[in-house]
């Protein structure tokens, strides 16, 4: 880790550009996954509360 940090420019080590990119990518991934699962999850909960079968509703479309 220290040898690779020495090879990179100091600008990248100082401003945290790589960590910001990792955080941005992870945040985008989690918000898109959550939005896609809300509707199927609501359908499953509704079916369960009404006593209808809900096993065939996929959580991830």
């Amino acid at each position: 880790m220290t040898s690779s940090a020495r090879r990179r420019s100091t600008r990248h080590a100082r401003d945290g550009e790589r960590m910001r990119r990792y955080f941005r990518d992870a945040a985008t991934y989690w918000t898109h996954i959550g939005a896609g699962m809300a509707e199927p999850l609501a359908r499953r909960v509704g079916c369960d509360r009404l006593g209808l079968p809900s096993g065939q509703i996929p959580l991830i479309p």
Side-chain angles (χ1 to χ4, degrees), residues 5-34:
R6 282 188 289 223
R7 283 185 248 150
R8 292 185 299 216
S9 68
T10 57
R11 181 182 67 85
H12 292 298
R14 189 171 357 115
D15 66 4
E17 181 178 323
R18 181 174 289 189
M19 288 306 294
R20 280 198 300 263
R21 186 174 67 237
Y22 288 152
F23 177 77
R24 183 186 66 234
D25 293 347
T28 301
Y29 172 76
W30 285 111
T31 56
H32 284 92
I33 291 294

Side-chain angles (χ1 to χ4, degrees), residues 41-56:
L41 182 60
R43 287 178 58 205
R44 272 193 171 192
V45 169
C47 286
D48 289 342
R49 289 192 180 217
L50 293 172
L52 300 172
S54 63
Q56 73 277 10

